[in-house]
Amino acid sequence: MLVVDTDESNLGLHKMLGLTSPATTLMGCLGGKPAVREKLLTSLQKKGDENTGFFADGLNLASLPPECTGGEWPLRFLRIGKIERSMEGCACPMGAVARSFLKQLRVDQDE
């Protein structure tokens, strides 16, 4: 099972579940907030939507970067992104990454 933390402001979900925190967020694996924001803005300007192609076709649990997941199978934890300091800015890029990830992730019947 994969627990996906899409709450950009709460840093404690992994602790409530008794899991280890991932080394980085999924947004961090995609180049960080500036890279995601740039890709999102480019997509909105060219296509008028958020379909940025953050993830390659065939996104599944086995293809997730290990530095982005915490815990041990059968229970893993993935953070989309976090606002860690005040005045850090908009959480919109995190929402776009979360929507794209959840739309593209494919799981097998037993996952």
Side-chain angles (χ1 to χ4, degrees), residues 17-29:
L17 297 171
L19 299 173
T20 58
S21 177
T24 189
T25 63
L26 184 58
M27 183 176 277
C29 288

Side-chain angles (χ1 to χ4, degrees), residues 38-101:
E38 183 64 32
K39 194 167 190 177
L40 182 57
L41 287 173
T42 300
S43 179
L44 289 170
Q45 290 169 348
K46 287 184 179 178
K47 298 186 251 176
D49 64 25
E50 292 182 350
N51 189 10
T52 59
F54 287 123
F55 307 101
D57 289 338
L59 177 66
N60 60 32
L61 296 180
S63 68
L64 294 175
E67 64 272 16
C68 294
T69 60
E72 298 294 330
W73 291 115
L75 182 58
R76 301 287 299 195
F77 180 78
L78 175 107
R79 282 185 174 153
I80 296 295
K82 291 295 176 187
I83 294 176
E84 299 184 23
R85 294 171 298 285
S86 65
M87 307 301 286
E88 191 171 321
C90 179
C92 297
M94 294 172 211
V97 170
R99 283 187 294 280
S100 180
F101 175 77

